[in-house]
Amino acid sequence: MLRKRLIGVVTVRKGWAVQSFGYRRYLPLGRPECLVENLDRWGADEILVQVIDRSSRNLGPDFDLLMRLGKLGLETPLIYGGGITSADHAVQVIQSGADRISIDQILHNSPCEVRRMALRLGAQALIAAVPIRFCDTTWLRHDYMKRQCFPFDDELPALFQDRVVSELMLIDWQNEGNITEFKPEQLARLPFTEVPVIMFGGFTKPSLTRRFLDHPKVAAVAVGNLFSYREHAYQDYKRVVGSVSLRPPTYYG
Amino acid sequence: MKFCKRCLYSTSHPLGLVLDEEGICSGCRVHEEKDSLDWSERWSKLESIVAPYRNTDGRNYDCIVPVSGSNDSYYIVYLVKERLGLNPLLVTYNRYFNTPLGIRNLANLRIRFNCDILYQNINPESVKRIVRSTLQRFGSIYWPILAGQSVFPVQTAVRFKVPLIIWGAHQGLEQVGMFSHLHEVEMTRRYRKDHDLMGFEADDLLSVFDTLNETDIWQYRYPTDTELCSVGVRGIYLGNYVRWDPKAQHEKMIDLYDYGSSSFGRTFDTYDHVDCFNYMDLHDQLKLFKHGYSRVTDHATREIRHGRLTRSQGLSLVRRFEQEKPLHLDQICQWLGIQRRSLDFMINQHRNPIYWHSNEPGEWSFHGWSTHHPDFNLEDTKSSQATTFMATASRELGSCNSYITIGKGWPC
């Protein structure tokens, strides 16, 4: 059985790595490649680079950034998300050095294009990123372009049933950078089954991360801002989480 | 390029700056915390953080404190020794561009506070080779100083097994609001590489196209994660727990401990950087060339945020000082072993075309930050109380204006 993962997230906006708070307020951090290199040195299980302003500005994927990341010689699997609107984009992103891609808007705007991506790259390379709210007893997905929440239609569950995407990343977008209000028990109400889940957004408390990692549906938890505040923040966080399902923290050169 | 509506910073700031929907920058927003946080509660938090690091058997130091002959060194040691009651080991990196006043201030610091101190002197030939390389490659004469000042305390912490390093204020937090005070950001290798060293660690300087080699740069290498973890090295910033106000702090240190200050040609602030002939000279001019603004803008922005200057007063001061010519170019040419024409050629390579237009060979017109503000009612600042900074001495202290490359002390 595979170990679960703690993913380090680097959020990029206008070319800068930023701390994000609810995707509404941002504080600068620095060069994205410096943050990625740092997470790599810390032995992160996986690194997610999410470039959050490419789709809204119709810019396509940030290939310049991917080229700079490619030169780092990373040992850590890299997930790239941002601006991917076609299967060709997805292939180019993988060719540029990413190991997997994270997609959001295209899941709903063009699910057939997602199927084309899976045919070319394989489902293992695709992660469905879904900003989400839990309202009463129902999960609603948040469309950040339309700034509205919608119930799930049949398309997304079909993508999972047909094994077109490998994992589902649930993003607590409202509490991102704060403390998530999600509870593990709420995962039972997801309209999809059989799909491993990555939790992201507001996982500042190691105890909460531990509870989610103990849930059988959860394959990984992703954390962003917190890993920029002190040295070895990633390893210390892992140690405090204390979950045997995670790879032990490491200290290399 | 957009400007904050409150201070003088723009979104082109090299540390990164974001504006909120009201047009106020992240630096100003984080500065607001200085007037809303409970600082006595923050001080109690600091005391609880340092408590486990107190040495119980008296056989080792409680902490490492990086110091120099200027900036906030006096206030940091005052807080550590007098207020927290810790036993620090002071460490200082020799920058070679030392002024007599800086040597005097450093000697006065260790004597008045009665502290042990370690000096690091990297062999000057290697330093000169590095400076020639970094000046040419990315327009910096300060890389060895920034690298040495930021790594020597960490190396000392590992060697002496003293895990706690206490710094003053976090530059990213104070200037651009990179972190909230409540994030309690600590020292990281990532920040050092990304911002202090402009993206270049020691090994990144080695290249087949350069003359630098291993023997020149090995002293600037950061300890490994294994070494840091084995000692538990941790660097905290007092600015997260103390309401940081450099002007007020320096004036207190002048009053209590005879800190020496001096005036500069390129800024109104007389308290920072008095220990270096080049920081507020060529180094500051290079900042203007590359980034379109210089240190006087940092000083003015700081004073605006503290409510001691209006925005128009700040802009007046910036426009008065930022184009002043450096005074010590001949000294650095002599030290580096290069001709003045070579220096001029190299530094002109780094004029950012966004901010500098060449009208004729050797003639430049400036279009930096200060030229983008409207000419609103600029105020006369000469008689303003808000700009009163004391100059208690001169950097040369009546002697010659050559670098004191190795300062053995100062009779006090």
Side-chain angles (χ1 to χ4, degrees), chain B residues 55 60-61 64 155-164 230-231 233:
Chain B
N55 205 267
N60 206 349
Y61 301 97
I64 305 277
Q155 292 167 342
T156 307
V158 171
R159 281 183 201 131
F160 281 63
K161 294 185 172 35
V162 179
L164 183 64
S230 68
V231 176
V233 175

Side-chain angles (χ1 to χ4, degrees), chain A residues 85-88 90-91 101 103 106-124 126 153-165:
Chain A
T85 57
S86 67
D88 285 341
V91 170
I101 61 170
I103 46 179
I106 196 174
L107 290 168
H108 317 289
N109 298 343
S110 186
C112 51
E113 197 66 19
V114 178
R115 291 177 184 274
R116 269 189 223 113
M117 287 181 196
L119 278 174
R120 292 195 58 187
L121 298 171
Q124 75 286 346
L126 306 186
D153 54 24
D154 295 330
E155 290 282 4
L156 195 56
L159 290 176
F160 294 125
Q161 253 175 333
D162 298 343
R163 302 191 198 283
V164 172
V165 294

Side-chain angles (χ1 to χ4, degrees), chain B residues 46 86 149:
Chain B
L46 174 63
L86 295 170
Q149 282 179 335

Side-chain angles (χ1 to χ4, degrees), chain B residues 60-110:
Chain B
N60 206 349
Y61 301 97
D62 296 331
C63 60
I64 305 277
V65 176
V67 295
S68 69
S70 75
N71 297 356
D72 298 310
S73 297
Y74 274 55
Y75 192 65
I76 296 168
V77 176
Y78 162 74
L79 288 176
V80 168
K81 191 111 198 264
E82 305 301 319
R83 295 278 313 275
L84 290 171
L86 295 170
N87 177 25
L89 171 63
L90 309 187
V91 299
T92 187
Y93 171 86
N94 183 5
R95 66 184 73 200
Y96 287 113
F97 304 146
N98 305 308
T99 63
L101 179 58
I103 297 297
R104 177 262 174 203
N105 274 345
L106 189 56
N108 185 52
L109 174 75
R110 64 173 168 78

